[in-house]
C-alpha cells in the first residue's frame, strides 16, 4: 500500500519486509518503522506481520498502519515513528478484524478500516475506540477520502465458487461519513 502524507511524503507498506517506509517525493528514504525482514510472531499483535497500508492524519501527522495479513491489528505511531497504541484482534465482532487491508483518516481523526474478509468498514476514534461499522461492502480493499469528504471504497471481486457472480466486487462505492 502507498499513500501520500500532508507534506507530500510517500508512505509505503511492505508486507514482504514487514516495514513501513517514508520517502521524500523524489525517493530519499526518511524513516523506516519496523525491522526489515523480521516479522512479529503471527497473531501476536506486535508490529508488524505483513502490514498492508499506512496513512497519515492531516491534523496530527500521526501514522496509522493496518497490520493485516498476519496480525489483524491497527497501530498508531507519532510522526517520528514511536508506537502510541494498537487495537484489534482476529474475529468478526466490533473491533476485531479478518484482514484489515486499508485505512483512511478524516478531518476529525476518525479512522476508517477496510476489514476486507468481513465485508465491512469499521470506524474508530484515533485511540482505537469503536464508533460504528458499515456492513455488506464486498471485500473492501482500497479506500480514500476525496476532496468532497466522501469515502471511496474499492471493492474486490473473487471468492471461491462465486468469482463470476454479478454485483460482487470490482466496483467503487462512494459513501458519506455516515456510511450511506
Amino acid at each position: 500500500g502507498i499513500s501520500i502524507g500532508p507534506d507530500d511524503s510517500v508512505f509505503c507498506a511492505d508486507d514482504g519486509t514487514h516495514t513501513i517506509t517514508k520517502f521524500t517525493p523524489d525517493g530519499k528514504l526518511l524513516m523506516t518503522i519496523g525491522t526489515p525482514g523480521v516479522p512479529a510472531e503471527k497473531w501476536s499483535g506486535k508490529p508488524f506481520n505483513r502490514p498492508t497500508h499506512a496513512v497519515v492524519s492531516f491534523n496530527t501527522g500521526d501514522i496509522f498502519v493496518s497490520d493485516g495479513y498476519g496480525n489483524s491489528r491497527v497501530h498508531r505511531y507519532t510522526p517520528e515513528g514511536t508506537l502510541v497504541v494498537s487495537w484489534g484482534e482476529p474475529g468478526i465482532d466490533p473491533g476485531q478484524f479478518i484482514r484489515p487491508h486499508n485505512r483512511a483518516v478524516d478531518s476529525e481523526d476518525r479512522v476508517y478500516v477496510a476489514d476486507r474478509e468481513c465485508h465491512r468498514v469499521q470506524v474508530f476514534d484515533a485511540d482505537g475506540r469503536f464508533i460504528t461499522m458499515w456492513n455488506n461492502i464486498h471485500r473492501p480493499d482500497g479506500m480514500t477520502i476525496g476532496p468532497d469528504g466522501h469515502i471511496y471504497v474499492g471493492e474486490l471481486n473473487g471468492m471461491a465458487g462465486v468469482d463470476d457472480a454479478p454485483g460482487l466486487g470490482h466496483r467503487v462505492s462512494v459513501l458519506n461519513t455516515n456510511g450511506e
Side-chain angles (χ1 to χ4, degrees):
I2 297 174
S3 65
I4 306 299
D7 62 355
D8 291 332
S9 55
V10 180
F11 289 82
C12 300
D14 188 336
D15 76 324
T17 65
H18 312 283
T19 60
I20 303 301
T21 48
K22 177 182 177 182
F23 295 92
T24 63
D26 62 352
K28 178 184 173 193
L29 179 64
L30 298 173
M31 178 173 56
T32 300
I33 305 173
T35 304
V38 180
E41 183 179 337
K42 193 170 187 179
W43 311 124
S44 69
K46 297 178 182 171
F48 298 114
N49 189 304
R50 299 189 65 205
T52 53
H53 194 240
V55 69
V56 178
S57 164
F58 278 71
N59 294 326
T60 64
D62 284 356
I63 305 160
F64 294 86
V65 178
S66 53
D67 201 0
Y69 283 109
N71 242 340
S72 294
R73 298 280 278 186
V74 173
H75 309 285
R76 175 180 161 200
Y77 286 85
T78 66
E80 298 76 32
T82 301
L83 182 63
V84 175
V85 67
S86 299
W87 70 87
E89 63 186 2
I92 61 169
D93 290 329
Q96 297 178 326
F97 307 106
I98 301 177
R99 197 160 298 138
H101 204 270
N102 195 269
R103 244 158 2 307
V105 179
D106 71 12
S107 61
E108 296 178 30
D109 276 347
R110 287 178 297 224
V111 181
Y112 300 81
V113 179
D115 191 5
R116 189 170 88 183
E117 304 313 327
C118 285
H119 302 275
R120 65 188 179 188
V121 170
Q122 294 192 62
V123 185
F124 301 87
D125 71 12
D127 292 316
R129 286 184 289 269
F130 176 80
I131 297 171
T132 191
M133 75 174 84
W134 310 334
N135 292 301
N136 304 316
I137 300 171
H138 190 76
R139 298 185 75 208
D141 196 54
M143 185 169 39
T144 192
I145 298 176
D148 58 4
H150 289 97
I151 300 160
Y152 293 76
V153 181
E155 297 180 51
L156 184 65
N157 196 3
M159 288 183 66
V162 293
D163 287 344
D164 61 348
L168 293 180
H170 288 313
R171 68 180 180 193
V172 174
S173 293
V174 182
L175 305 163
N176 65 22
T177 56
N178 294 319
E180 301 161 336

